[in-house]
Amino acid sequence: MPAAGPPPIVAEELDLLERVGKALEAPGSAATATPSERALVQELERLREALRDGTKTEDRPALLEQWHRHSALLEQLRTSRAQPRVSPDSPYFGHLRLREENGDQDILLGKGTHLGSGVAIVDWRHAPVSRLFYRYRQGDRFDEEIAGRERSGEVLVRRTVTIRDRRLQRVDAPEGIFQRAPEATGGWRRIAPETARLAGGEGAALRAHAVGEGSTRRLGDPSAGPARADKHLPDIAGLIDPEQFALITRPTSGFVVIRGAAGSGKTTVALHRIAYLAYDDPKIDSDRTLVVVFSPALRDYVSHVLPALGVHQVLVRTFHEWAREIRRRVLPMLPADGREDTPAVVQRLKLHPAMLAALAAHIADTPGPATPAQVVDDWASVSTHAPRIHAALAASAPDAFGPEELRRALDWMRREHEKLAAWLGGDRTAEAELDAEDDALLLRAWQLRVGALPAKSGPLLRYRHVAVDEVQDFSPLEVQVLLGCLDQRKSITLAGDTQQHLLENTGFTSWATFFEQLGLKGAEVDTLEVSYRCSRQVASFAVGVLGPLREDDTPLRTVREGPSVELFRFADHGACVAFLAHALRELAERERNASVAVLTPSRELSALYAQGLVHSEVPRARQVVNQDFTFAPGVEVTEIEQVKGLEFDYVILVEASSTHFPDRPGARRLLHVGATRAVHQLWLTSVATPSPLVRAPLEETP
């Protein structure tokens, strides 16, 4: 008895792939083969003349239809010239068949364009017609303006296909999911869709899906109850645990250092501590209390929380905002503008503790008046005096910079100071700018040469309390400047987690070294050991990603279960966008108050996915470019670095691949930070080979 052939849908897709392969391999046809632009232009000129020459009324609609088709084809051709080529190994991922008034048309979506030989492959990122694939389902009627023309009809076919090495591996269609069987057995098997939503359970910490699988999985946790519409940090005073309460109610004076894993409540404790201190001393609620954060997003986040705790006058600033504001006021003779293109090695040198030591040594050895001009001279003298910098590095960190690195950094600093000297001498054509790191050096030079910084109103700038969040991403120099602004009580709260240390240029290495550099030997660190934000599944995955960077051997304590962490693989970013768009639209229908972060490793990928989700009509989808988060329900697409300190109901980590997350400390911490933003559920996707930081937990998953 002859073997049964493939299912009809699969047979149709196999025939289509064969036709595409022949078209791409036809003589004279490159993978980007397109019609001749000259032929299209000539045909458009012929049609224009025909329309001008008094064509019969009954013929005009047909001629106009040809005109519109050829115009759209020419526009697509010109757009595609600069686009990637169609790969014969995996030419497309989406199949769309449209029925319009003039007949049926098959359109294939890939990451390149090929128009000709009876085949139409369009780039999903640029072709206007691709919006039909992302906005409509099979069987839907459509009415859209595409390339300047109204088009209406019906979506007859909408399928996602997986093609590897020129072989069809999988077909996802409303009629069913068809997977190529192992080579030994041959044929195709139909996969029954999973009906259970992702919610709860005691499953493995990470569940992985091969390329194209997992298409029936769902975002959402019905057991979690309704989500909050306001995504700012809630007032949890009634839920504070004994360890957190002990830190909040510490005496007003002295240092409180809080260490804890992501989601353990470090920020909560620091802010509630301010509210507690203000209740006992109303003067705390004033501009003489300062909360310092590392990003504008966290600044906006905290600024919303403090009023909810009854604290309204406390200043919340990023360190760079605060330092620049003070520096401009006390040293108005310097350029106001800041530089944006400072090399990383220069940033690292200026923030290194050795620069702090060199500055202190110079001022101690160099007599001078306590004037603003002398402060500028001290700063410039140290920054351009290579022997003193070499000596400071040799004494404390001889291996911190290679000879070539140090030479490049010193040359940059010397050139920039020459421009500044010309500018101060009256040459306003000199492109004199200051680095953000210069503000901290100048303020510290003022403190060492003159004394306390002057206040905007009043004699001296003295804070009753300072709280620094994510302190591991500040340099000892920056924290030393803040310490120099405390009043006699020396009241400060430092909160951080070295496992989330992302800014490697700041010089933070460990708590013990950090305190030694600040002159705070013997300072105690209080550790919060319970993660309240993340479920056990998310926390376990995030800890596993850290590997050797993990600080504690004891398991991280969590308070609730959640859905499994899942990894989805795709052959193309377009297929990934289509999958996520479908899941996010469904989530928006079920959970209107859900907040979702789609996190990427680069600005380019953020733009790609944001554009794809918006074109797919995912409700309230937007790209966050400059940390302008809404803290409201919706889908926000941005890079992982931008969400540090924030939280979202759902997190999707895009392109967790070896390319973007190699087995390096910085990549481990970045992936850890991204994962721990998730409150309820975490998904990962990968088009390229998944990162070893993800594969390792996969190998341990039963």
Side-chain angles (χ1 to χ4, degrees), residues 387-531:
R388 189 177 289 278
I389 294 175
H390 278 289
L393 285 168
S396 61
D399 300 324
F401 297 86
E404 179 59 22
E405 281 187 315
L406 193 55
R407 184 195 63 77
R408 285 191 288 111
L410 291 171
D411 284 349
W412 168 278
M413 291 160 62
R414 175 184 50 77
R415 289 194 301 270
E416 294 308 312
H417 277 284
E418 288 174 354
K419 295 178 185 177
L420 178 62
W423 192 88
L424 291 173
D427 181 6
R428 289 301 185 260
T429 64
E431 297 179 354
E433 296 174 318
L434 298 184
D435 300 328
E437 297 74 26
D438 288 325
D439 292 332
L441 283 166
L442 284 161
L443 295 183
R444 188 56 187 158
W446 182 291
Q447 290 172 331
L448 292 171
R449 174 65 72 181
V450 181
L453 291 165
K456 189 174 183 179
S457 58
L460 299 176
L461 182 61
R462 292 297 190 189
Y463 290 112
R464 301 179 73 86
H465 185 79
V466 172
V468 184
D469 196 28
E470 303 290 355
V471 70
Q472 76 279 352
D473 282 326
F474 291 86
S475 71
L477 167 64
E478 293 166 332
V479 176
Q480 188 69 67
V481 171
L482 293 170
L483 292 176
C485 295
L486 295 174
D487 66 13
Q488 70 278 7
R489 290 173 296 184
K490 304 295 182 185
S491 180
I492 189 168
T493 302
L494 305 176
D497 175 17
T498 57
Q499 297 175 148
Q500 298 182 66
H501 178 35
L502 296 185
L503 303 181
E504 298 181 4
N505 289 337
T506 62
F508 187 103
T509 55
S510 69
W511 288 109
T513 304
F514 185 66
F515 293 142
E516 183 178 352
Q517 292 164 344
L518 293 175
L520 302 175
K521 295 181 180 180
E524 295 183 1
V525 179
D526 293 284
T527 301
L528 297 174
E529 298 178 343
V530 180
S531 175

Side-chain angles (χ1 to χ4, degrees), residues 666-683:
R668 286 185 179 274
R669 294 192 183 102
L670 191 62
L671 197 55
H672 174 81
V673 167
T676 53
R677 301 309 97 197
V679 174
H680 295 307
Q681 193 169 7
L682 173 65
W683 278 4

Side-chain angles (χ1 to χ4, degrees), residues 315-326:
L315 297 177
V316 184
R317 299 284 190 274
T318 68
F319 180 84
H320 291 316
E321 289 171 339
W322 176 84
R324 180 138 297 179
E325 178 185 336
I326 303 295

Side-chain angles (χ1 to χ4, degrees), residues 50-71:
L51 288 167
R52 285 177 176 173
D53 290 343
T55 304
K56 294 180 182 179
T57 303
E58 61 268 23
D59 293 336
R60 288 186 66 83
L63 290 173
L64 285 171
E65 176 65 23
Q66 292 181 53
W67 170 269
H68 288 308
R69 279 184 175 276
H70 283 75
S71 296

Side-chain angles (χ1 to χ4, degrees), residues 554-631:
T554 56
L556 180 65
R557 292 163 54 196
T558 56
V559 296
R560 58 187 171 81
E561 297 291 320
S564 299
V565 176
E566 300 193 68
L567 168 68
F568 301 89
R569 296 192 63 187
F570 299 91
D572 185 271
H573 287 298
C576 183
V577 168
F579 169 73
L580 294 180
H582 177 71
L584 291 169
R585 284 196 300 264
E586 286 196 342
L587 178 67
E589 292 176 3
R590 294 193 312 270
E591 301 182 31
R592 294 186 58 82
N593 287 335
S595 65
V596 183
V598 178
L599 305 181
T600 78
S602 71
R603 178 69 61 85
E604 292 73 22
L605 278 177
S606 294
L608 181 71
Y609 276 76
Q611 183 181 35
L613 295 178
V614 170
H615 286 175
S616 303
E617 296 189 327
V618 172
R620 295 169 294 185
R622 62 190 291 269
Q623 182 181 0
V624 175
V625 177
N626 293 315
Q627 301 197 342
D628 55 336
F629 293 92
T630 62
F631 302 109

